[in-house]
Amino acid sequence: MAERLKARGMLGELAAEFAGTMILILFGVGVVAQVVAGGIGDHDSIAWAWGLGVTLGVYVAARITGAHLNPAVTIAMAAFKGFSWRKVGPYALAQTAGAFVAALIVRFNYAEVLAKIDPGHTIKTQGVFSTLPGNGTLPVDTWGAFRDQVIGTAILLFLILAITDVRNNAPLANLAPVVVGLLVVAIGMAWGTNAGYAINPARDFGPRLASFLTGYHTAWRDQYGQLYFWVPIVAPVIGGLVGAGLYQALVGRFLPIEDEPEPGRVPAKESYETV
């Protein structure tokens, strides 16, 4: 009986991570498709929709898993916050699967306008689904984008830990998801030039795979023809560890020790939210 309940609990966690990440990508990739292919909106609408997608995705999964929605977050939480290492792989797969399915939905829904603006499904609209150095147009190379993703994800994890640490001045009344969403808006507005602020391996790889399977044959490469898909995977993981480590070194270890928060308060035990 105990093993059955344990298995059911793990299934529920993976389902929550899948669903939360799917919601995030439906809004995030959806808004980029609307701006790029439909000509409706601009950079600010992209930044706000990504942030709102994060907030809504976190609300979907927070009660069950804390809503990581991002392998870089899951790995950082295992390294610095006691999250189980044996769950890291399954969580990352569930997050990537959620992003993949959401991207397929966006690809299906925007098929006509994408074909109109880019009949060959080329680099011109590849950025709808996955990131590119310099957003496909600016003079940023692979290593410039790598640097950017390390820095951007370090900022993300540093501030996620600050926002969700109940020993710190954490948001009350279940508002942590809103503040985390605003954090992503701010990152998009300040750190979106060099690499499109993927800051999340699942967010980039899932939609990249979906685009490749639906006609974008250059999906794995950047505008220079270089293999690029690995950058938004490796760099965010490194950046997440750097950001979480810096928070622990500069802030976390100096905070007073408190008892567990009361039931129902977000974040609860093992509750760490993000994109």
Side-chain angles (χ1 to χ4, degrees), residues 184-195:
V184 173
V185 173
I187 291 174
M189 289 183 171
W191 292 88
T193 297
N194 282 6

Side-chain angles (χ1 to χ4, degrees), residues 35-210:
V35 172
V36 172
I40 301 172
D42 54 20
H43 175 268
D44 286 354
S45 61
I46 290 174
W48 278 105
W50 272 109
L52 289 169
V54 168
T55 294
L56 297 171
V58 170
Y59 274 124
V60 166
R63 183 67 175 176
I64 298 175
T65 66
H68 297 188
L69 315 186
N70 182 341
V73 172
T74 302
I75 291 170
M77 294 308 166
F80 293 99
K81 287 293 185 177
F83 184 74
S84 173
W85 279 105
R86 69 178 180 80
K87 293 183 178 182
V88 169
Y91 267 49
L93 287 174
Q95 294 153 0
T96 303
F100 173 78
V101 170
L104 285 179
I105 294 171
V106 173
R107 178 73 175 87
F108 173 72
N109 189 60
Y110 282 94
E112 296 88 351
V113 290
L114 285 167
K116 175 68 175 178
I117 194 172
D118 183 18
H121 301 309
T122 67
I123 204 80
K124 182 178 180 180
T125 58
Q126 183 177 312
V128 167
F129 300 96
S130 54
T131 59
L132 292 162
N135 291 308
T137 59
L138 298 173
V140 179
D141 63 13
T142 298
W143 294 108
F146 189 96
R147 175 194 67 226
D148 174 88
Q149 286 300 282
V150 170
I151 296 171
T153 316
I155 293 170
L156 176 73
L157 263 296
F158 187 99
L159 290 171
I160 283 174
L161 264 62
I163 292 165
T164 61
D165 194 336
V166 294
R167 299 173 303 146
N168 206 339
N169 191 23
L172 301 178
N174 201 21
L175 287 176
V178 175
V179 180
V180 172
L182 290 173
L183 165 60
V184 173
V185 173
I187 291 174
M189 289 183 171
W191 292 88
T193 297
N194 282 6
Y197 72 106
I199 57 176
N200 181 339
R203 168 265 175 275
D204 195 86
F205 184 78
R208 193 180 294 271
L209 178 60

Side-chain angles (χ1 to χ4, degrees), residues 133 142 208 218-222 224-232:
T142 298
R208 193 180 294 271
T218 61
W220 308 115
R221 298 182 180 273
D222 61 19
Y224 309 113
Q226 302 294 317
L227 279 176
Y228 182 77
F229 75 94
W230 62 273
V231 172

